[in-house]
Amino acid sequence: MPKIFKAVTAIALLLISFTAHAQTKFTVSGNIKDKKTGESLIGATIRAADNPALGAVTNEYGFFSLTLPAGSYKLIIGYSGYKEQEVSVSADKSNKLDIALELLESQLEEVTVSGKVNKITSAQMGMDRLDIKDISVIPVIFGEKDVMKTIQLLPGVMPAGDGSSEIFVRGGAGDQNLILLDDALVYNPSHLLGFFSIFNSDAIKDVTIYKGTAPANYGGRLSSVLDVKMNDGNDQDYHVSGGIGLISSKLDVEGPLEKDQGAFLITARRTYADLFLKLSSDTTLKKSRLYFYDLNAKLNYKLSKKDRLYLSGYFGQDDLGVGSIFGINWGNATGTLRWNHLITDKLFSNLSLIYSDYSYNINVNNSGISANIFSGIKDWTLKEELELFANPTNSIKFGIASIYHTITPGEVTGTNITTYNQPDNHSWENAIYISDSWKASKKWNIDYGIRLSAFSVLGGSNLYNLDQNGNILDTLHYGSGQIVKTYVVPEPRVSASYILNDVSSLKGAYTHNSQYLHLISNSVASNPTDKWVGSNNIIKPELADQVSLGYFRSLKNDHYEFSVETYYKYMQNEIDYKDDANVLNNTPLEPKLLFGYGRAYGVELYFQKKVGRFTGWVSYTLSKTELQINGINNDSWYPARQDRRHDLAMVGIYKLSPKWTLSADFVYYTGNAVTFPVGKYTLNQGAAGAEPLNANYWIYTTRDGGRMPGYNRLDISATKQLKKHKKFSSELTYGLYNAYGRENPYIITFRTDPNDPNKTQALQTSLFRWVPSISYNFKF
């Protein structure tokens, strides 16, 4: 590692010397923040009034750097939902310019839900940035504002099922999404089996999703990146806010450590459905558990004009149990320590130490058997990134990242059972990357870069040699820390926009991604007990190549937005399980798995009304996702579990009056691909002298050859502003999830008709019909 950081230092010095050649140009740099809260504004724009080509955008910490030819300028600073500010500067020396923007006054006729990205000029494709204020009134289950549920309403992003927080992006499986919270990896973003997500909206500032070609600083997954940033905390004044709902409550406390110098933020949330169980007359139910809690915390402090320190963390836990008979609890813990340092007025450094931990416990105590099953994954990450604002046409990022993975595949302990512990698996994932955002001309904007990733399998755990039928030939042993095998994958990526005119553009992109960690599951939606495994001598890294094309258009002075994108993705080393494989026990996984190819392609349409009393959007995705894996379905192509032909979402928000806001969303999508039985047979012969078994066994043929029924649902909500004063504000939100009571299928099971053993019944289980909600939110 010391050699790596010496290399980074040398490159930094080289970049600094490069910037010194701008002899007749001067740099204006600084930070843009919210005047009332002190929160940094991500994606704020700075442009010269008489020459819009001279401009810059703030990075994820609110910092900008703009190099200008000598002269006098009027700079316009803007951010969606804020008053524009005009500042005069003289470019005869380098200037430091810190700007605090004020929110626009709320006006009935001018309500905006637009994102912060100019999709016409930006080279980036398949990217959406959501502001928490924009999604606060969109109805979701149980009335809880939820980032994951709102993202599922975007084109190309599909929910796994009713109530689930898992997403499928452009044909990718649920584990092919890189989910980050303040740069920390999140391996399971779900609470209560997916009915809630771990992201407490009161703690979140910014949400960005990349569905296609992500910048080179992201890696490790094939399909998408979901980058969630926590609030920094209010460095101007102390505030307390919270909400009380039917099944959950939350509290948010923030304020300055020292005004204009630092701030803290603490948010907490808990459900209390388990409290209602205690009202039951059933003693087992009274002792049952059904709840989650989570905590977000963040500190930031300005050490000097050039240095700022951040410390953020998340801890969440779920607990489900039936008395003392059965229990399962799982949770995430993350921590990020970050040091921002301004090396020069053009070169910005970000050094981070990151911790991530996901684990689950299962407890069984029944019929004289007591057992505990534990599994988890833990990461330590060290990351250094340099951002060079070379000139108004080039912004360069360079960085390194090193992750040490520890996977506990399974520990089984208890009484009256056979204990079984597999040794922890260790691996070391490294990457180095460089990218450039280049304004090539008035017509062309190009983002290009390359990421070189390396994954080393470390010794200390069992590895296997398999024969051609997948049977274990022998077990391999290597010393702890010994490098057994290293995979190295170059990952180039490029995206470009060609500006047709002031209101439209064409875009194209290509990316090559690799993925070294894999989630092994034989269910349609993810469960807490699904297992993460690392690549090894048998399980190869997954690879994907994706190309995409798109057309983007702004209508009626940017009051409306329309886009169409099409993509094709080819995947290698895709993983599926053998027929009748049990992937949840603690025997070796490798003999149960098969490997092959995948392909996904589709078209995404999006139309948004951004301004006015009525706002909202319509998104539609037409797509297909298939796998071809030798040993499954006669080696033919077959639908992946996440294959969906049609996916439609409509969102509407209406500002009825200064006090009332109405909203609704409608979704429809094709049912998941599933494997249904095609027949059955009965065994009547039991042991000698015993009663006949009369046991039925189902016959399965084609993998994922069936379809669940199509899904559709309408949700509505109304928010009433109760009080709004400088010192105190409050509101009531009423919601109805699944307003017309559609019984959407969650699972379909089969059984023999009790009245006629020659017939079979298909039984549909639905989770929700009508789910009303009411919540009271306050802030002071």
Side-chain angles (χ1 to χ4, degrees):
M1 292 304 295
K3 291 183 179 180
I4 295 176
F5 284 102
K6 286 181 180 179
V8 172
T9 303
I11 292 174
L13 294 174
L14 180 63
L15 294 175
I16 294 170
S17 66
F18 171 76
T19 65
H21 291 288
Q23 295 147 350
T24 60
K25 295 183 179 181
F26 300 91
T27 300
V28 179
S29 62
N31 294 274
I32 311 297
K33 64 179 184 178
D34 182 300
K35 185 175 183 178
K36 186 176 180 180
T37 66
E39 287 282 351
S40 58
L41 299 180
I42 302 171
T45 58
I46 303 93
R47 69 183 191 278
D50 57 349
N51 186 0
L54 296 175
V57 178
T58 56
N59 67 7
E60 57 198 272
Y61 306 104
F63 175 79
F64 76 93
S65 179
L66 176 61
T67 300
L68 300 167
S72 297
Y73 297 89
K74 285 186 177 180
L75 299 181
I76 298 174
I77 296 92
Y79 189 73
S80 178
Y82 286 73
K83 297 176 183 178
E84 281 192 343
Q85 209 174 116
E86 190 174 285
V87 180
S88 297
V89 297
S90 295
D92 53 5
K93 61 178 181 179
S94 293
N95 289 280
K96 189 76 164 59
L97 193 65
D98 292 333
I99 301 294
L101 296 181
E102 293 184 70
L103 277 167
L104 286 168
E105 294 295 329
S106 178
Q107 297 178 9
L108 184 61
E109 68 277 3
E110 200 69 17
V111 179
T112 305
V113 294
S114 62
K116 309 300 181 294
V117 178
N118 186 332
K119 293 186 178 180
I120 303 302
T121 60
S122 170
Q124 196 67 53
M125 286 191 69
M127 184 188 83
D128 286 288
R129 174 169 284 151
L130 302 178
D131 192 298
I132 296 301
K133 294 188 294 293
D134 297 343
I135 65 174
S136 61
V137 294
I138 295 176
V140 294
I141 190 169
F142 302 128
E144 182 79 10
K145 292 182 288 186
D146 197 302
V147 166
M148 298 299 292
K149 299 295 191 297
T150 303
I151 283 176
Q152 293 171 5
L153 301 172
L154 297 174
V157 183
M158 303 177 183
D162 212 349
S164 176
S165 290
E166 187 180 28
I167 55 175
F168 303 141
V169 180
R170 291 190 171 179
D175 68 324
Q176 294 177 352
N177 307 301
L178 179 68
I179 301 176
L180 303 172
L181 178 61
D182 269 6
D183 275 355
L185 278 161
V186 174
Y187 285 97
N188 187 337
S190 301
H191 278 311
L192 290 185
L193 303 176
F195 302 139
F196 293 81
S197 80
I198 69 164
F199 300 117
N200 184 345
S201 59
D202 287 346
I204 303 304
K205 171 169 60 178
D206 185 82
V207 180
T208 304
I209 183 167
Y210 299 90
K211 298 175 291 184
T213 300
N217 51 301
Y218 298 106
R221 298 294 186 272
L222 296 190
S223 292
S224 77
V225 177
L226 180 62
D227 192 355
V228 180
K229 303 293 185 187
M230 288 173 55
N231 284 320
D232 297 328
N234 192 319
D235 67 4
Q236 300 298 304
D237 202 359
Y238 295 96
H239 288 283
V240 177
S241 61
I244 302 172
L246 291 179
I247 66 168
S248 69
S249 291
K250 54 190 177 181
L251 187 67
D252 174 18
V253 182
E254 60 180 337
L257 297 170
E258 182 180 343
K259 193 169 183 179
D260 292 320
Q261 290 293 114
F264 73 91
L265 168 75
I266 301 173
T267 66
R269 182 174 55 158
R270 192 192 193 278
T271 58
Y272 33 76
D274 55 314
L275 299 181
F276 296 108
L277 298 178
K278 298 185 183 300
L279 302 176
S280 173
S281 58
D282 188 312
T283 55
T284 301
L285 282 179
K286 290 181 72 169
K287 296 180 181 179
S288 295
R289 306 177 306 282
L290 176 63
Y291 70 91
F292 77 80
Y293 62 89
D294 55 26
L295 176 72
N296 294 76
K298 192 167 185 178
L299 299 172
N300 81 87
Y301 194 79
K302 186 187 293 185
L303 302 175
S304 71
K305 291 183 178 180
K306 293 188 175 183
D307 299 274
R308 184 177 287 272
L309 200 65
Y310 297 85
L311 177 62
S312 63
Y314 168 86
F315 179 79
Q317 195 75 21
D318 284 72
D319 195 354
L320 305 179
V322 180
S324 60
I325 300 173
F326 173 81
I328 174 173
N329 61 78
W330 70 94
N332 293 275
T334 71
T336 303
L337 177 63
R338 177 179 290 115
W339 171 37
N340 286 171
H341 175 60
L342 190 60
I343 299 174
T344 74
D345 54 11
K346 289 186 175 185
L347 189 59
F348 185 88
S349 168
N350 185 40
L351 177 63
S352 303
L353 177 64
I354 305 165
Y355 172 77
S356 177
D357 185 6
Y358 171 69
S359 62
Y360 68 80
N361 279 281
I362 301 175
N363 298 288
V364 179
N365 189 1
N366 193 25
S367 301
I369 296 177
S370 176
N372 176 265
I373 303 172
F374 172 81
S375 184
I377 180 169
K378 185 183 298 181
D379 291 340
W380 283 98
T381 303
L382 190 60
K383 182 179 178 182
E384 164 65 9
E385 183 172 278
L386 300 171
E387 189 169 5
L388 173 66
F389 300 87
N391 51 55
T393 60
N394 293 88
S395 177
I396 300 169
K397 278 189 179 181
F398 168 83
I400 59 170
S402 182
I403 310 174
Y404 186 81
H405 301 288
T406 301
I407 299 176
T408 302
E411 298 176 355
V412 180
T413 57
T415 58
N416 297 325
I417 64 168
T418 302
T419 60
Y420 185 87
N421 295 331
Q422 287 193 39
D424 289 349
N425 297 323
H426 300 279
S427 54
W428 189 23
E429 185 175 352
N430 294 283
I432 184 170
Y433 59 86
I434 186 168
S435 63
D436 181 20
S437 292
W438 177 31
K439 298 178 183 177
S441 69
K442 291 183 178 181
K443 294 286 188 180
W444 284 99
N445 290 307
I446 303 173
D447 290 352
Y448 62 99
I450 189 168
R451 180 183 183 92
L452 184 65
S453 61
F455 184 87
S456 297
V457 183
L458 303 180
S461 60
N462 294 332
L463 298 174
Y464 306 96
N465 273 336
L466 306 180
D467 63 20
Q468 60 183 2
N469 296 317
N471 301 311
I472 296 177
L473 290 175
D474 55 60
T475 302
L476 309 176
H477 300 281
Y478 295 87
S480 178
Q482 181 181 353
I483 296 179
V484 178
K485 186 177 182 64
T486 298
Y487 296 97
V488 179
V489 181
E491 303 177 33
R493 54 199 70 187
V494 60
S495 59
S497 67
Y498 178 75
I499 302 172
L500 299 172
N501 49 50
D502 291 342
V503 297
S504 62
S505 65
L506 293 172
K507 297 186 184 183
Y510 165 77
T511 188
H512 179 74
N513 289 325
S514 64
Q515 179 167 334
Y516 300 104
L517 299 181
H518 323 277
L519 188 65
I520 305 301
S521 171
N522 58 1
S523 63
V524 173
S526 66
N527 293 309
T529 53
D530 293 341
K531 291 184 179 180
W532 285 93
V533 298
S535 297
N536 53 34
N537 61 320
I538 302 296
I539 304 173
K540 303 293 192 295
E542 296 177 80
L543 304 174
D545 292 272
Q546 181 177 243
V547 293
S548 53
L549 297 171
Y551 172 73
F552 298 78
R553 186 174 181 85
S554 174
L555 303 167
K556 289 195 175 181
N557 198 27
D558 203 32
H559 285 202
Y560 299 86
E561 177 184 297
F562 170 77
S563 66
V564 55
E565 295 187 51
T566 182
Y567 65 90
Y568 181 87
K569 185 192 303 180
Y570 179 72
M571 296 166 281
Q572 302 176 62
N573 302 327
E574 290 293 278
I575 303 172
D576 211 335
Y577 55 91
K578 293 180 178 179
D579 292 337
D580 303 318
N582 181 1
V583 300
L584 297 181
N585 61 27
N586 285 306
T587 56
L589 278 171
E590 287 83 349
K592 307 171 187 178
L593 304 178
L594 296 171
F595 309 93
Y597 302 94
R599 60 190 180 194
Y601 45 94
V603 178
E604 301 167 0
L605 301 173
Y606 183 72
F607 178 80
Q608 181 184 24
K609 186 177 186 294
K610 301 162 66 175
V611 177
R613 295 177 65 173
F614 178 76
T615 57
W617 68 85
V618 177
S619 70
Y620 171 71
T621 304
L622 174 67
S623 62
K624 190 172 185 179
T625 306
E626 299 176 299
L627 298 174
Q628 191 274 311
I629 295 178
N630 289 341
I632 298 177
N633 289 357
N634 298 317
D635 304 341
S636 300
W637 288 93
Y638 63 96
R641 285 172 291 182
Q642 65 272 19
D643 176 55
R644 299 260 178 85
R645 198 69 66 247
H646 305 284
D647 192 281
L648 172 70
M650 296 186 287
V651 177
I653 304 167
Y654 183 63
K655 189 74 172 178
L656 181 65
S657 71
K659 287 194 172 183
W660 281 97
T661 301
L662 309 179
S663 60
D665 64 63
F666 172 81
V667 296
Y668 168 83
Y669 54 79
T670 304
N672 289 332
V674 292
T675 305
F676 287 142
V678 297
K680 65 181 179 181
Y681 61 92
T682 303
L683 288 181
N684 293 314
Q685 182 63 47
E691 293 292 328
L693 288 175
N694 292 322
N696 292 314
Y697 293 88
W698 301 108
I699 301 172
Y700 298 88
T701 55
T702 305
R703 177 81 60 90
D704 293 336
R707 285 280 173 187
M708 297 286 279
Y711 181 100
N712 62 86
R713 188 190 76 243
L714 173 69
D715 308 325
I716 57 177
S717 74
T719 300
K720 183 182 181 181
Q721 184 79 51
L722 298 177
K723 294 182 179 180
K724 189 173 184 180
H725 305 298
K726 186 175 182 181
K727 295 294 185 180
F728 180 80
S729 64
S730 61
E731 65 180 26
L732 270 175
T733 299
Y734 309 89
L736 183 58
Y737 181 88
N738 197 12
Y740 53 77
R742 161 84 174 180
E743 294 189 71
N744 287 296
Y746 182 70
I747 189 171
I748 294 178
T749 57
F750 295 85
R751 72 176 186 183
T752 298
D753 188 331
N755 298 318
D756 186 349
N758 295 317
K759 295 182 179 180
T760 299
Q761 292 179 333
L763 303 179
Q764 174 179 303
T765 300
S766 300
L767 289 181
F768 310 110
R769 196 163 187 187
W770 295 282
V771 184
S773 64
I774 181 172
S775 59
Y776 172 74
N777 301 303
F778 62 88
K779 184 173 184 179
F780 60 88

